[in-house]
Amino acid sequence: MKVLVAVKRVVDYNVKVRPKADGSGVELNNLKMSINPFCEIAVEEAVRLKENGVATEIVAVSIGPQQAQEQIRTSLALGADRGVLIKTDQDLEPLAVAKCLKAICDQESPDIVLMGKQSIDGDNNQTGQMLGALTGYPQGTFASELKVDGGKATVTREIDGGLQTVSLNLPAIVTTDLRLNEPRYASLPNIMKAKKKPLDETSPEELGVDVAPRVELLGVELPAERSAGIKVANVDELLDKLKNEAKVI
């Protein structure tokens, strides 16, 4: 069984981002970049499937600049077998990402596609669903538990009302949520071994994918600073301020 794992290069979640001076985007120079945390959970789940004898091969795929090799190598150090970099310097929208992954699925024919439910930079939560529509694969989104047996995947999903369990025929797409697992750390020996694992490069053009943006970014700016709160003596004063000053009631 082959597992395809999508990993995205994002600003490390511990880093506080700021807009560029001209407001044209987010300043990325000299910032620490890492695997998107939800993608890291997807890699861990793929490795666990392999350790349990369910999966036989894990292919890590990333779309981004040449530096995105770092995140693929990290995935290889965690247990993936080989990597594919779809090289582009454009900031792709979810539909373009889904089209690129669909082209890779056509080439690789994976049994399961594992990916984070969203990335912490765009926060779109769209790529997995779009990939499902393009490939026709059934999908289990927001997975907090995954079991694979007999050509079927059983996914426990986190929904607003609690938990929902769905059964999917393979091949299928699963997007990972926070409570699915706790990702491991890559050991130094595995980091060294990852340098020798195969990593292929391609591009959206070679895959025949149009990645032209459909949304125009007008500007990026920090949210307005909130003024300090005040204490009120009683409920009557609170209601008065809400009605006459804040004008929210």
Side-chain angles (χ1 to χ4, degrees):
M1 178 179 290
K2 182 187 292 186
V3 180
L4 187 74
V5 185
V7 295
K8 185 176 183 182
R9 176 183 173 88
V10 299
V11 177
D12 189 87
Y13 70 92
N14 289 310
V15 175
K16 184 177 181 180
V17 297
R18 64 185 187 278
K20 294 180 179 178
D22 60 1
S24 62
V26 176
E27 182 61 68
L28 299 179
N29 290 332
N30 301 318
L31 293 185
K32 180 183 178 183
M33 307 295 285
S34 302
I35 296 179
N36 176 51
F38 291 103
C39 299
E40 197 171 13
I41 293 170
V43 174
E44 173 66 25
E45 193 65 20
V47 173
R48 293 187 184 190
L49 288 174
K50 187 175 182 182
E51 290 175 341
N52 292 332
V54 176
T56 55
E57 184 181 23
I58 302 171
V59 183
V61 182
S62 189
I63 307 170
Q66 189 68 38
Q67 296 91 321
Q69 279 197 16
E70 300 170 10
Q71 283 63 50
I72 296 178
R73 291 294 180 193
T74 300
S75 302
L76 297 176
L78 291 170
D81 298 295
R82 57 188 176 89
V84 178
L85 173 62
I86 304 174
K87 188 178 175 182
T88 177
D89 291 324
Q90 293 189 55
D91 187 12
L92 301 190
E93 295 170 2
L95 180 59
V97 173
K99 288 181 177 179
C100 289
L101 292 177
K102 198 267 184 184
I104 296 298
C105 287
D106 291 341
Q107 293 179 359
E108 297 287 346
S109 300
D111 298 284
I112 298 180
V113 180
L114 284 171
M115 57 199 309
K117 69 171 185 176
Q118 65 194 78
S119 60
I120 62 172
D121 51 2
D123 248 5
N124 292 301
N125 180 20
Q126 295 175 337
T127 304
Q129 293 87 332
M130 288 178 172
L131 180 60
L134 292 172
T135 59
Y137 294 174
Q139 55 184 287
T141 55
F142 317 119
S144 61
E145 185 177 355
L146 171 64
K147 296 180 181 177
V148 181
D149 184 39
K152 289 183 178 291
T154 303
V155 180
T156 301
R157 304 179 60 236
E158 297 192 358
I159 60 175
D160 291 341
L163 299 176
Q164 179 188 62
T165 301
V166 295
S167 179
L168 312 174
N169 292 321
L170 301 182
I173 297 167
V174 178
T175 70
T176 59
D177 215 327
L178 284 173
R179 281 152 291 279
L180 181 59
N181 60 51
E182 184 70 29
R184 70 192 68 189
Y185 291 100
S187 65
L188 182 58
N190 286 338
I191 292 174
M192 301 305 294
K193 291 177 183 177
K195 295 180 179 180
K196 298 181 180 180
K197 291 184 178 180
L199 197 164
D200 299 324
E201 289 188 14
T202 183
S203 67
E205 292 75 23
E206 291 178 5
L207 295 173
V209 176
D210 176 17
V211 295
R214 288 166 168 77
V215 177
E216 181 184 356
L217 178 63
L218 299 180
V220 177
E221 60 185 23
L222 291 172
E225 291 188 9
R226 298 175 60 181
S227 58
I230 62 171
K231 291 183 178 181
V232 295
N234 50 54
V235 174
D236 290 335
E237 184 182 354
L238 172 63
L239 292 174
D240 177 68
K241 288 186 177 297
L242 290 176
K243 182 177 181 179
N244 299 315
E245 293 184 18
K247 300 186 184 301
V248 295
I249 60 174

